[in-house]
Amino acid sequence: MHSVLADDQQREPSVDRTDGPRRRATIHDVAKLAGVSRQTVSRAVNDKGEIDPGTKERVLEAARLLDYRPSRFARGLVRKGTVTAGLVIPDLMNPFFPEVAAGVLEAAEQRGWQVVVWDSRTDDAREREALDVLSHQADAVVGYFKNPDDVLARHLGGVPLVLLERGPQQTRFAAVGIDAAAGLEQGLAHLVRAGHRRIGMLDGVHGPGPRREAFLKETRRHDLPVDDSWIALCDEHSVAGGEAGMERLLDERPEITAVFGFNDLIAIGAMRAVRWRGRRVPEDLAVLGFDGLSLGELVDPALTTLHIDKRRLGRLAVEQVARLRAGEEPMSGADAWVIPELVVRASA
Amino acid sequence: MHSVLADDQQREPSVDRTDGPRRRATIHDVAKLAGVSRQTVSRAVNDKGEIDPGTKERVLEAARLLDYRPSRFARGLVRKGTVTAGLVIPDLMNPFFPEVAAGVLEAAEQRGWQVVVWDSRTDDAREREALDVLSHQADAVVGYFKNPDDVLARHLGGVPLVLLERGPQQTRFAAVGIDAAAGLEQGLAHLVRAGHRRIGMLDGVHGPGPRREAFLKETRRHDLPVDDSWIALCDEHSVAGGEAGMERLLDERPEITAVFGFNDLIAIGAMRAVRWRGRRVPEDLAVLGFDGLSLGELVDPALTTLHIDKRRLGRLAVEQVARLRAGEEPMSGADAWVIPELVVRASA
DNA sequence: TTGTAGGCGTTATCAC
DNA sequence: GTGATAACGCCTACAA
């Protein structure tokens, strides 16, 4: 066995530190230790054919000795093809998002892409930080954002973006989303069919958006008495947010016989608040959610909700990215929408 | 001078001359188009000081035209410091794991690391695939694995690994974990204090492990009548798995007055099964969970459980990785454990 | 202010 | 089989 001490020719000059974080071994070090050329090392490490079994073994031994691992940067530089997507999620504690993420991961994996995940915790500044990093490290970004178009563009530096839900001031990026109108059509029809006429809504933190709009539209269509006083804002998309919001709504509009929650967590919070007040669900007050979390089956009464195929939403977003990258026109309209489906359970 | 509206950023550059397979623009292309050297482009793009505002604008315009974005590989090669960790999660639908992931992401972000996430879906083969990829693209891996040490090592190719939970055949990698013994000590003490003597367990899919072991130990300590017939295996770590497992357990041991579930989902499944049989929780049968999911507060009755600080677990794992990378000794024993805390609610 | 030279770690190409 | 040599795209000197 050769015993070639890596006599660092031009690197860290003459400093022979035995401890501390040593420089990572390169292909060159391995080559020297094994007494072969870099090329041969490459052949051995990458399991190429044209190499003598003996030298191969010797090279691999040297590599092991030096704890050599090829640099992914150098490799990426020379072998194209590694695609990395960034995924920005607002709240990992809301079961909705992990499921969307699962869809993204699934589709990305099928294409051989990697996914770098960021948790923005519903914070505008953190969204921007995420973009600052991902714009340097990812080939495309997918996610939920509150920042307006121009801000996003500024922090994106040209990296393609696909929104998982288009916000009010977000029109120029590709997006996928949920067909709230189609969902609420089913939802309100169901409530009206059950005899409800005084229906309130617990909206999310962002205020006016597709869900509220659709709610208002359907509500008018059925000729129900509704204005903004029938809508309460929740300051969190969570059970606690729903509880607090429902308290306020009941104070404002005690006459309601049904509520539509911005999402399932809020709806579940609403149910709890209703019961605190000694009213029964659904007999005194019906509750309709939006999301279709499996959690909704576990609460009592089980939550009637507009179920969304969240995995599909995630997969759709990846497909959208693929189109962008291929220079194709992104899907738009119904092709890029997931349509909610009413799931009737006990709460409404 | 041309001016390109930002709306175009979703499309491919219109200037795409040079026919052929449209190569991505490099710093060189920009330099040529702007009529400057590559360094000047670098200065403009990286916002360095020493550059004439005029040329800078010209360069940036050229970059925009060509849709130029610096190669992360070339950059990584020259600017060290980008650390990427791989995170392998078995089941994103179980609320436990997103919360651990949140802890990992949080800690990683603080260190300026990125995290590539893989969903192994509790599948051995998928675990290996994840490692095959991550060993090439990540500087370290954190995750849940079922494969034994030697298999992991083989697919790891020298990349440091930190297990989020040490399995039976996994001894040679660094790990963090949960102190099941400390948890069950509290849990069983609580049940015994409440007068229970005939206590069953719903174990997870992997069979014998720290939780079962701890259960058996505590059970013996309190001198309770327990052997394997008091333990049923669930074939899924889910509510459905818990329901099915509880059915079997009740068939085998109808005399039990309390059950300990491997995790909260299983425990919740158990509660449902108990009620199907017309027995009340906790009056006829008490249920104790393990995990402390917030979901447990929403079910009826609310779940008594051994709460784990899941975010902390994730953060701990990242810290463990940092030690490995620094060449330090990884934490071991109690330092690397999260201790469960009994949260008494209505179910037991 | 701007350009030239060289190196980062790896692989492809083409000799030997 | 094996080894020079030349990219790959970028950045940090240093020179002009």
Side-chain angles (χ1 to χ4, degrees):
Chain A
M1 189 77 207
H2 305 246
S3 73
V4 182
L5 270 180
D7 57 326
D8 277 357
Q9 2 126 14
Q10 79 251 48
R11 337 262 185 188
E12 310 229 10
S14 68
V15 182
D16 198 341
R17 27 161 96 193
T18 4
D19 55 350
R22 277 172 308 179
R23 188 180 57 76
R24 213 171 103 178
T26 75
I27 199 173
H28 185 244
D29 302 321
V30 179
K32 228 170 19 175
L33 178 54
V36 298
S37 75
R38 299 186 309 237
Q39 197 40 235
T40 303
V41 174
S42 177
R43 285 195 266 262
V45 169
N46 296 318
D47 227 18
K48 299 277 184 189
E50 310 151 325
I51 186 177
D52 180 279
T55 50
K56 176 167 176 179
E57 195 40 59
R58 190 152 40 94
V59 168
L60 291 181
E61 175 63 24
R64 218 168 296 137
L65 227 52
L66 296 176
D67 189 30
Y68 165 71
R69 264 170 305 126
S71 148
R72 68 167 175 284
F73 296 116
R75 262 199 178 153
L77 200 53
V78 97
R79 311 211 271 233
K80 322 294 193 189
T82 336
V83 177
T84 299
L87 172 60
V88 180
I89 291 293
D91 179 13
L92 279 169
M93 298 306 107
N94 180 340
F96 181 84
F97 297 109
E99 200 164 338
V100 176
V104 171
L105 293 180
E106 183 184 323
E109 188 191 328
Q110 278 175 350
R111 294 177 180 274
W113 298 358
Q114 306 179 71
V115 180
V116 175
V117 178
W118 272 77
D119 183 355
S120 71
R121 294 183 221 153
T122 329
D123 179 278
D124 295 47
R126 292 179 50 81
E127 281 182 10
R128 282 177 244 123
E129 289 166 32
L131 286 182
D132 287 338
V133 173
L134 291 176
S135 63
H136 287 320
Q137 309 291 3
D139 302 298
V141 176
V142 166
Y144 288 89
F145 294 91
K146 297 189 299 169
N147 281 285
D149 270 352
D150 55 331
V151 177
L152 295 179
R154 196 173 312 130
H155 290 264
L156 219 35
V159 176
L161 170 66
V162 171
L163 300 169
L164 276 163
E165 178 97 71
R166 204 188 285 287
Q169 305 172 52
Q170 303 174 147
T171 59
R172 84 187 198 211
F173 292 103
V176 295
I178 296 164
D179 190 343
L184 277 156
E185 188 177 333
Q186 303 170 60
L188 270 168
H190 174 70
L191 292 178
V192 168
R193 205 179 305 130
H196 296 283
R197 303 277 308 161
R198 301 189 301 280
I199 306 177
M201 169 174 179
L202 291 172
D203 204 358
V205 289
H206 310 320
R211 299 187 195 186
R212 181 201 285 217
E213 229 170 76
F215 172 75
L216 289 173
K217 181 183 158 205
E218 291 302 320
T219 230
R220 277 191 293 267
R221 170 138 74 130
H222 288 285
D223 206 29
L224 306 184
V226 164
D227 60 31
D228 280 355
S229 70
W230 297 77
I231 300 179
L233 254 59
C234 300
D235 50 352
E236 251 188 6
H237 290 174
S238 63
V239 173
E243 290 170 348
M246 192 62 186
E247 296 267 23
R248 288 195 298 276
L249 183 56
L250 285 175
D251 287 342
E252 184 74 22
R253 286 289 179 185
E255 70 266 42
I256 59 173
T257 66
V259 242
F260 162 60
F262 176 86
N263 69 10
D264 278 1
L265 294 184
I266 284 178
I268 289 172
M271 292 205 297
R272 292 164 66 89
V274 168
R275 295 182 140 188
W276 289 344
R277 299 233 174 167
R279 298 171 71 173
R280 294 162 305 166
V281 178
E283 293 83 352
D284 302 327
L285 190 27
V287 176
L288 172 66
F290 195 114
D291 272 358
L293 304 185
S294 58
L295 162 56
E297 307 173 43
L298 301 177
V299 294
D300 184 40
L303 186 65
T304 292
T305 185
L306 296 166
H307 179 274
I308 297 165
D309 188 340
K310 304 165 258 323
R311 293 186 92 98
R312 184 166 129 73
L313 184 64
R315 288 197 305 264
L316 225 46
V318 171
E319 194 178 334
Q320 199 70 300
V321 169
R323 300 208 175 200
L324 252 41
R325 289 177 46 85
E328 299 171 18
E329 204 59 27
M331 298 173 285
S332 67
D335 289 340
W337 285 343
V338 175
I339 302 199
E341 189 184 345
L342 177 66
V343 176
V344 178
R345 291 199 276 249
S347 80
Chain B
M1 166 123 321
H2 318 259
S3 86
V4 173
L5 293 187
D7 326 346
D8 270 327
Q9 83 175 87
Q10 293 292 327
R11 296 193 196 101
E12 288 296 296
S14 43
V15 238
D16 191 4
R17 82 242 0 316
T18 341
D19 61 334
R22 41 168 80 114
R23 209 181 80 257
R24 206 170 111 178
T26 76
I27 199 174
H28 186 250
D29 302 321
V30 179
K32 229 172 17 181
L33 179 55
V36 298
S37 77
R38 297 181 311 219
Q39 316 331 313
T40 304
V41 175
S42 176
R43 286 196 263 270
V45 169
N46 296 319
D47 226 17
K48 298 280 182 188
E50 310 152 327
I51 186 176
D52 180 279
T55 48
K56 176 168 177 180
E57 195 40 59
R58 191 153 40 94
V59 169
L60 291 182
E61 175 64 22
R64 225 168 291 137
L65 266 172
L66 296 176
D67 188 31
Y68 166 71
R69 266 171 302 129
S71 147
R72 68 168 173 283
F73 296 116
R75 262 199 178 152
L77 202 52
V78 116
R79 311 212 270 237
K80 321 296 196 188
T82 336
V83 177
T84 299
L87 173 61
V88 180
I89 291 293
D91 179 12
L92 279 170
M93 299 304 106
N94 181 341
F96 181 85
F97 297 109
E99 200 163 339
V100 175
V104 170
L105 293 180
E106 183 185 324
E109 188 191 329
Q110 279 176 350
R111 295 178 179 272
W113 299 356
Q114 308 178 68
V115 180
V116 175
V117 178
W118 273 77
D119 183 354
S120 71
R121 295 183 220 153
T122 328
D123 179 279
D124 296 47
R126 291 180 50 80
E127 280 182 11
R128 282 178 244 124
E129 289 168 29
L131 286 183
D132 287 338
V133 173
L134 291 176
S135 62
H136 287 321
Q137 309 291 4
D139 302 299
V141 175
V142 167
Y144 289 88
F145 294 91
K146 297 188 299 168
N147 281 285
D149 269 353
D150 55 330
V151 177
L152 294 178
R154 195 172 313 129
H155 290 264
L156 220 35
V159 176
L161 170 65
V162 171
L163 300 170
L164 277 163
E165 177 98 71
R166 204 188 286 285
Q169 305 172 52
Q170 303 174 145
T171 60
R172 82 184 198 216
F173 292 103
V176 295
I178 296 164
D179 190 343
L184 277 156
E185 189 177 334
Q186 304 170 60
L188 270 169
H190 174 70
L191 293 179
V192 167
R193 205 179 306 129
H196 296 283
R197 303 276 309 160
R198 300 189 303 277
I199 307 178
M201 169 173 180
L202 291 172
D203 202 358
V205 289
H206 311 322
R211 300 189 193 184
R212 181 200 285 216
E213 229 169 75
F215 171 76
L216 289 174
K217 181 183 157 205
E218 290 302 321
T219 231
R220 278 191 291 265
R221 171 141 71 133
H222 289 284
D223 206 28
L224 306 184
V226 164
D227 60 33
D228 280 355
S229 71
W230 297 76
I231 300 179
L233 255 59
C234 301
D235 50 352
E236 251 188 8
H237 290 174
S238 64
V239 174
E243 290 169 347
M246 191 63 184
E247 296 267 25
R248 287 194 298 274
L249 183 57
L250 285 175
D251 286 342
E252 184 75 21
R253 285 289 178 184
E255 69 265 43
I256 60 175
T257 67
V259 241
F260 162 60
F262 176 86
N263 69 11
D264 278 1
L265 294 184
I266 284 178
I268 289 172
M271 291 206 296
R272 293 164 64 89
V274 168
R275 295 181 142 191
W276 290 343
R277 298 234 173 167
R279 299 171 72 170
R280 294 163 305 167
V281 177
E283 293 83 351
D284 301 328
L285 189 27
V287 176
L288 172 66
F290 195 115
D291 272 359
L293 304 185
S294 57
L295 162 56
E297 306 173 44
L298 302 176
V299 294
D300 183 41
L303 186 66
T304 292
T305 185
L306 296 166
H307 179 275
I308 297 165
D309 188 340
K310 303 165 255 332
R311 295 185 91 98
R312 183 165 131 72
L313 184 64
R315 289 196 304 264
L316 225 47
V318 171
E319 194 179 331
Q320 200 70 300
V321 169
R323 301 208 173 200
L324 251 40
R325 288 176 47 84
E328 298 171 18
E329 204 58 27
M331 299 172 287
S332 66
D335 290 338
W337 285 341
V338 176
I339 302 200
E341 188 184 346
L342 177 66
V343 176
V344 177
R345 291 199 277 250
S347 79

